[in-house]
Amino acid sequence: MEAHGRAGRQVKRIEHKWGFGLAPVKPEVQRRRVEAARTVLATLTQGHHAALGRLDDLSTVTGLFTRAYDKKQWDWFTVCAQLGYPSYKEARRASSTLRHLRLCLRDANWQAAEEAATTLRNAGLPDRLRDFIAGAPASLDGRGFIYVLSTREAPEMLKIGYTNRDPLTRAKEINSATGVVIPWGVRGAWTVAHAHRVEADVHALLADYRVRKDREFFHLPFAEAARIIDDYVAGLAGVPQDRPRRARSS
């Protein structure tokens, strides 16, 4: 939004209070989402009859997981945190399978519905929904996060760091600093062991894009940064947890 100052100059006003993805969920919206999660949990643990007449609840929960991987809504990262930080693949698989389950229930295809429900149970969705309903924070099990932040006004100026706590809390702390005029939004987060060491490796891989050596700011498209981080984190899968592989920059 632009306004005119006393000298007639245009002044750009910052209207949004939260970085993109960090918007809080309104209480009445959260209540509806929790009720929908209860329906889906009952469907997975008690049987298909729990969803009869409440198929829209499956659509609501499907939408939550879609938010978590699609990253297009103002509250996407808030929802991702509430769901316990599912990975892109986990969120997309849950969204797709829930959508399929709803169609099977609608069409009374009970065998296919049970197969979809089994897939969701095996993926750990009941536990994830229980935590969502209880409002319980994600259990990190000693792991941390690599996070990427940016503003909508400068989407290619990325702040890449690590935290051993909830990245949602960390992002809010950064935005509460006195010098922050435009709030940062979370573009992505990766769960890793030894987050501090992984951060150093990621910074080394992105050295050519670093704006200043003593600051964790990098200038490049998020998609490129995400690809590099994805590849590195995927490479850690076969490395013992007490000795993460060191990255090489070229």
Side-chain angles (χ1 to χ4, degrees):
M1 177 179 178
E2 292 184 347
H4 292 280
R6 291 184 179 179
R9 292 184 299 176
Q10 288 186 333
V11 179
K12 187 173 183 179
R13 305 294 190 190
I14 307 300
E15 299 293 335
H16 50 279
K17 299 179 181 179
W18 310 280
F20 185 73
L22 301 179
V25 180
K26 294 180 179 179
E28 61 271 22
V29 173
Q30 186 64 13
R31 282 194 292 270
R32 290 197 298 270
R33 290 175 175 178
V34 167
E35 188 60 32
R38 288 196 177 101
T39 297
V40 175
L41 178 61
T43 302
L44 297 179
T45 59
Q46 299 173 22
H48 307 326
H49 64 277
L52 297 180
R54 306 202 64 170
L55 292 182
D56 285 349
D57 285 352
L58 274 77
S59 297
T60 296
V61 177
T62 299
L64 295 178
F65 284 96
T66 300
R67 263 174 157 75
Y69 79 79
D70 206 31
K71 304 180 182 180
K72 292 182 179 179
Q73 304 297 326
W74 273 92
D75 66 349
W76 83 264
F77 196 73
T78 303
V79 171
C80 187
Q82 292 174 338
L83 292 173
Y85 299 105
S87 68
Y88 175 88
K89 289 182 179 180
E90 289 171 332
R92 186 159 189 168
R93 188 180 302 115
S95 174
S96 175
T97 309
L98 282 166
R99 187 177 297 110
H100 178 60
L101 174 60
R102 184 189 186 282
L103 292 175
C104 292
L105 293 173
R106 184 198 66 184
D107 298 339
N109 187 343
W110 308 122
Q111 181 177 347
E114 179 55 31
E115 291 173 355
T118 298
T119 297
L120 292 167
R121 286 192 292 268
N122 290 342
L125 188 63
D127 286 340
R128 197 177 288 279
L129 291 177
R130 289 187 186 98
D131 289 343
F132 177 82
I133 292 166
S139 175
L140 300 182
D141 296 324
R143 298 165 72 83
F145 291 87
I146 299 298
Y147 60 78
V148 178
L149 312 180
S150 78
T151 66
R152 299 200 80 179
E153 289 73 10
E156 294 190 358
M157 181 61 72
L158 309 180
K159 179 176 175 61
I160 303 176
Y162 88 97
T163 180
N164 287 320
R165 298 175 295 141
D166 180 348
L168 184 64
T169 300
R170 177 61 182 141
K172 290 179 178 178
E173 288 176 351
I174 292 171
N175 284 333
S176 67
T178 303
V180 175
V181 177
I182 301 174
W184 295 88
V186 179
R187 303 292 298 277
W190 291 257
T191 308
V192 295
H194 309 286
H196 180 62
R197 280 186 271 176
V198 173
E199 180 205 47
D201 288 348
V202 169
H203 285 182
L205 288 168
L206 297 173
D208 289 344
Y209 305 99
R210 196 163 194 166
V211 177
R212 280 179 52 177
K213 291 183 178 180
D214 60 342
R215 293 290 186 271
E216 52 186 33
F217 294 100
F218 301 80
H219 191 270
L220 74 160
F222 169 72
E224 177 64 11
R227 182 190 64 77
I228 292 170
I229 298 172
D230 278 339
D231 288 347
Y232 175 69
V233 171
L236 293 176
V239 178
Q241 291 299 297
D242 59 336
R243 296 183 63 187
R245 185 179 66 180
R246 301 297 298 175
R248 293 183 178 180
S249 58
S250 57

